[in-house]
Amino acid sequence: MDINKFPILSQINLPADLRKLSLEQLTPLADELREYMLQELNVCGGHFGSNLGTVELAIALHYLYDTPHDNIVWDVGHQAYPHKILTGRKERLSTIRQTKGLAPFPSREESEYDAFGVGHSSTSIGAALGMAMASELNNDDKRNVAVIGDGALTAGMAFEALNHAGGMRPNMLVILNDNDMSISNNVGALNNYFARIWSSNLYTNIREGSKRVLDKMPAAWGDFMRRTEEYMKGMVAPGVFFEELGFYYVGPIDGHDLPLLVDILSKIRTHKGPRILHIVTKKGKGYAPAVKDPIKYHAVKPGFLNPEIKPEAKNKPLTYSNIFGQWLCDIAAQDERVVGVTPAMKEGSDLVDFALKYPKRYVDVGIAEQHAVTVAAGMACEGLKPIVAIYSSFLQRGYDQLIHDVALQKLPVVFAIDRASLVGGDGCTHHGMFDLSFLRCVPNLIIMAPANENEARQMLYTAYLQDGPTAVRYPRGTGPGVAIEEKMQALPLGKAQLCRAGEEVVILAFGSMLATALTVGEALNATVVNMRFIKPLDVQMLTEVAGNHKLLVTLEENVVAGGAGSGVNEALAAAQICMPILNLGLPDQFIEHGSPTQLLADCFLDAAGVQQSIENRLRGA
């Protein structure tokens, strides 16, 4: 797109250029930035609604703060596209989430304006607090700002940071970007009026002066005046909670009113101690369909603005998430003890139908993965059958709870682990590439990985039948296209499946890699085994194939370090079987964003790469 179509935005290459504008130019700049983002994301796709909602905030922050000297930490990063545009990356926006393109979230490696790398939610307050404490120790004048959404504020990490900051009293500002929850019904002229008062130097001076006077008076007078202020604020704003934590609260205000936003921010940025500015914004601001349906427009695909509406293809293949969602409804119809638990991923984990059919048995804990695991453990203690639907990379947050609250107590909690794969555009913060390694070492836990759609359904049923903790990990997207049997049948626990008999080489495939293994098996006339279970391993199958082949290859979409292949190595060593082994999986590095197909090829985990690795080993290369 020709950037010159946007007369003000075309002048902005860095925040220093933005600060040359007059206050009157900021609102038309916001209009241009929003339109530019619409057109560019129509080309490349990406996170959408939340970014349209933070245009004014990004402008106001970079207009008033001396970035990159001052630190702005964007929570999660779904709303940081306007920030990227204003910090020297606008002409690369159309490459976002693509191979070698802009990172999907703020990245310290990408820009000095990205103060903290993010991707998972609720880290901004803790990170900004750490920066504020460092500023105090370093005796510098940096200002530190955390931007957090109302959804991210549901996580325990955020409250831990708020509690810590309230006690430490650092000079930092938390901006609560409220774009969904109902805590801000009173936004309007009255609240804007009070926000102006509470952020003013006059009010601050009166407030601090009053404290000094009250300190010399009987305690009862001081308590009375403090309670009066709290009650006054509580009548028109939800700030009492934050004030009790030790924060100075201002808001809520209209986050799309740029003159007001600049006015309030310019006042409270000079205040001392921890502060919270509560702004109210609309997801999808400037694009009516996104305002009407923010969930649908959380992220968009290229061409979403095109006027022609393409009907969805009939008989669209089911994704693994769809298979899980259907299975959960089916098993819930059979067993009233079944409960579905999710940490704010109803749509992503395909729990929409379940939530409609069984609202009393649908539990969304918000962005609180640790709590999701422990609440499921509590349910299991009382005889329920909790199914925790969670992304692989998000389960990392609930690891201690999985070990201590579930596995240690041998509780029958099923973990339906979605996105256990290279996920594509969301990149290194979302790739599900570590779960086999961090789960395999946990006692009492059964771990399965389906190779196709039908195995996914049957493995979930197998997990449900167990009287202890189980995990079924499956990749993002669709499978190889195997027909799904409606009847649910338990798989033999810990038993692998011989898929192809060959010579010289045996390939042990785990989960999503079976299709690749079969392709390579045909090319090399290799034996192929669908291992199915990571824990317990089919030791009998292992010893049989090890004795009949010259090279044993393990293949998994997980890091090699500590993964399923490592489990095979340990089992063979325990059986005192010594033979050449080749462990193939993801490398010991964080993998960037891009097409999953291309990323697998880059990791030599496509059919060509796997075949080449095996042939190199056979040649002694």
Side-chain angles (χ1 to χ4, degrees):
M1 170 173 290
D2 183 6
I3 191 64
N4 293 318
K5 293 181 180 179
F6 304 91
I8 304 177
L9 182 60
S10 62
Q11 302 174 38
I12 310 300
N13 294 313
L14 292 172
D17 303 318
L18 172 63
R19 295 171 199 132
K20 297 175 184 177
L21 300 180
S22 65
L23 184 62
E24 290 71 26
Q25 290 177 290
L26 297 185
T27 298
L29 170 62
D31 295 337
E32 289 186 15
L33 197 158
R34 192 169 271 115
E35 180 61 27
Y36 178 75
M37 195 157 48
L38 277 168
Q39 298 302 324
E40 288 294 282
L41 293 182
N42 189 51
V43 174
C44 64
H47 291 108
F48 186 68
S50 52
N51 282 296
L52 291 178
T54 57
V55 168
E56 287 83 5
L57 177 60
I59 290 173
L61 286 172
H62 285 295
Y63 188 68
L64 292 170
Y65 285 84
D66 183 21
T67 55
H69 176 72
D70 293 336
N71 293 314
I72 300 174
V73 181
W74 297 88
D75 206 281
V76 184
H78 290 155
Q79 72 279 45
Y81 290 14
H83 157 79
K84 292 198 176 209
I85 291 171
L86 295 170
T87 54
R89 291 167 276 183
K90 64 174 181 285
E91 295 183 4
R92 295 184 62 207
L93 184 63
S94 61
T95 71
I96 202 161
R97 295 165 54 89
Q98 299 176 24
T99 306
K100 306 301 182 184
L102 282 183
F105 309 111
S107 166
R108 284 169 57 84
E109 292 184 1
E110 184 176 278
S111 172
E112 62 178 336
Y113 289 91
D114 293 354
F116 194 75
V118 294
H120 291 188
S121 80
S122 316
T123 61
S124 63
I125 302 176
L129 171 59
M131 293 172 180
M133 293 167 68
S135 294
E136 184 175 338
L137 289 172
N138 294 333
N139 197 29
D140 62 37
D141 60 349
K142 285 186 176 183
R143 294 188 172 101
N144 300 282
V145 180
V147 180
I148 189 167
D150 50 275
L153 203 61
T154 63
M157 270 194 74
F159 286 100
E160 290 170 13
L162 286 170
N163 182 59
H164 188 197
M168 293 293 297
R169 308 294 301 165
N171 289 323
M172 65 177 293
L173 171 65
V174 175
I175 297 178
L176 171 56
N177 178 26
D178 179 359
N179 57 22
D180 194 25
M181 294 175 68
S182 59
I183 59 176
S184 308
N185 295 330
N186 298 321
V187 174
L190 184 61
N191 283 279
N192 291 342
Y193 170 72
F194 276 107
R196 287 185 189 274
I197 292 177
W198 293 332
S199 65
S200 68
N201 289 328
L202 175 62
Y203 178 81
T204 303
N205 291 337
I206 292 174
R207 187 173 187 263
E208 295 303 316
S210 299
K211 284 182 179 180
R212 289 192 292 271
V213 172
L214 290 170
D215 284 342
K216 300 176 181 179
M217 299 181 69
W221 279 94
D223 290 341
F224 172 75
M225 294 304 294
R226 276 188 290 273
R227 290 179 184 273
T228 299
E229 180 191 39
E230 289 174 2
Y231 290 150
M232 181 186 74
K233 284 190 173 184
M235 290 173 63
V236 293
V240 174
F241 171 76
F242 298 110
E243 293 272 359
E244 289 294 330
L245 282 174
F247 279 77
Y248 181 65
Y249 173 89
V250 175
I253 67 169
D254 183 354
H256 299 301
D257 185 336
L258 252 175
L260 174 67
L261 198 54
V262 170
D263 179 39
I264 301 298
L265 274 173
S266 64
K267 291 173 180 175
I268 63 175
R269 67 174 176 165
T270 60
H271 292 183
K272 301 297 183 182
R275 292 142 283 151
I276 282 185
L277 172 61
H278 182 173
I279 71 171
V280 178
T281 62
K282 284 186 178 180
K283 288 183 178 179
K285 170 74 173 176
Y287 186 65
V291 173
K292 184 177 180 181
D293 192 348
I295 294 176
K296 178 180 178 181
Y297 286 93
H298 170 70
V300 293
K301 294 180 179 179
F304 73 95
L305 288 178
N306 296 349
E308 65 274 10
I309 300 176
K310 299 177 182 178
E312 288 193 11
K314 295 181 179 180
N315 302 319
K316 187 177 178 182
L318 295 176
T319 66
Y320 281 102
S321 300
N322 298 151
I323 294 163
F324 164 74
Q326 182 60 59
W327 172 81
L328 185 60
C329 289
D330 292 346
I331 200 66
Q334 297 182 17
D335 188 347
E336 63 183 12
R337 299 174 301 162
V338 169
V339 180
V341 181
T342 178
M345 296 306 299
K346 179 171 71 173
E347 290 76 23
S349 294
D350 205 3
L351 287 165
V352 176
D353 287 346
F354 179 81
L356 291 172
K357 292 179 180 179
Y358 305 100
K360 291 185 178 180
R361 290 194 270 162
Y362 169 71
V363 180
D364 186 343
V365 303
I367 304 175
E369 295 86 357
Q370 296 155 305
H371 175 56
V373 177
T374 301
V375 79
M379 291 174 172
C381 285
E382 295 302 305
L384 297 182
K385 297 287 285 188
I387 317 295
V388 179
I390 192 166
Y391 287 9
S392 171
S393 63
F394 297 165
L395 181 57
Q396 293 162 187
R397 285 190 162 184
Y399 189 49
D400 178 69
Q401 289 70 26
L402 185 150
I403 294 174
H404 184 271
D405 298 339
V406 177
L408 179 63
Q409 304 184 88
K410 302 178 183 178
L411 293 172
V413 176
V414 175
F415 293 92
I417 306 175
D418 203 338
R419 270 65 167 179
S421 61
L422 297 179
V423 296
D426 283 340
C428 54
T429 60
H430 283 61
H431 290 318
M433 55 189 282
F434 305 111
D435 56 90
L436 291 185
S437 299
F438 68 70
L439 291 176
R440 199 174 62 78
C441 61
V442 179
N444 302 327
L445 181 65
I446 296 171
I447 310 168
M448 296 171 258
N452 57 54
E453 297 87 342
N454 188 52
E455 274 196 354
R457 180 175 174 85
Q458 308 311 333
M459 282 184 179
L460 287 163
Y461 181 63
T462 305
Y464 153 81
L465 292 175
Q466 305 308 309
D467 191 29
T470 53
V472 180
R473 60 107 67 177
Y474 46 89
R476 183 178 191 176
T478 57
V482 172
I484 302 172
E485 299 172 13
E486 184 175 349
K487 182 180 179 181
M488 290 181 272
Q489 302 180 68
L491 300 177
L493 195 64
K495 291 299 180 182
Q497 176 191 38
L498 181 64
C499 297
R500 185 186 191 281
E503 301 175 355
E504 194 171 17
V505 176
V506 56
I507 305 174
L508 308 182
F510 292 88
S512 60
M513 300 307 296
L514 179 61
T516 299
L518 288 170
T519 300
V520 176
E522 288 292 331
L524 299 179
N525 190 23
T527 296
V528 177
V529 179
N530 174 17
M531 291 302 292
R532 288 182 167 172
F533 289 83
I534 292 87
K535 189 177 183 180
L537 283 169
D538 190 340
V539 177
Q540 181 180 349
M541 176 70 79
L542 286 181
T543 56
E544 288 177 3
V545 298
N548 298 325
H549 298 84
K550 295 180 180 179
L551 175 64
L552 186 146
V553 180
T554 65
L555 186 57
E556 62 189 300
E557 195 171 351
N558 186 85
V559 290
V560 171
S566 294
V568 170
N569 299 348
E570 293 160 11
L572 292 176
Q576 297 184 349
I577 296 174
C578 183
M579 69 176 299
I581 300 174
L582 175 61
N583 298 132
L584 298 179
L586 299 173
D588 185 23
Q589 64 187 59
F590 289 106
I591 298 171
E592 296 301 323
H593 51 284
S595 157
T597 301
Q598 183 59 53
L599 294 176
L600 283 171
D602 293 343
C603 295
F604 298 98
L605 287 182
D606 61 347
V610 171
Q611 182 174 339
Q612 179 183 336
S613 297
I614 293 174
E615 289 176 338
N616 289 344
R617 172 57 68 89
L618 290 173
R619 290 195 305 265

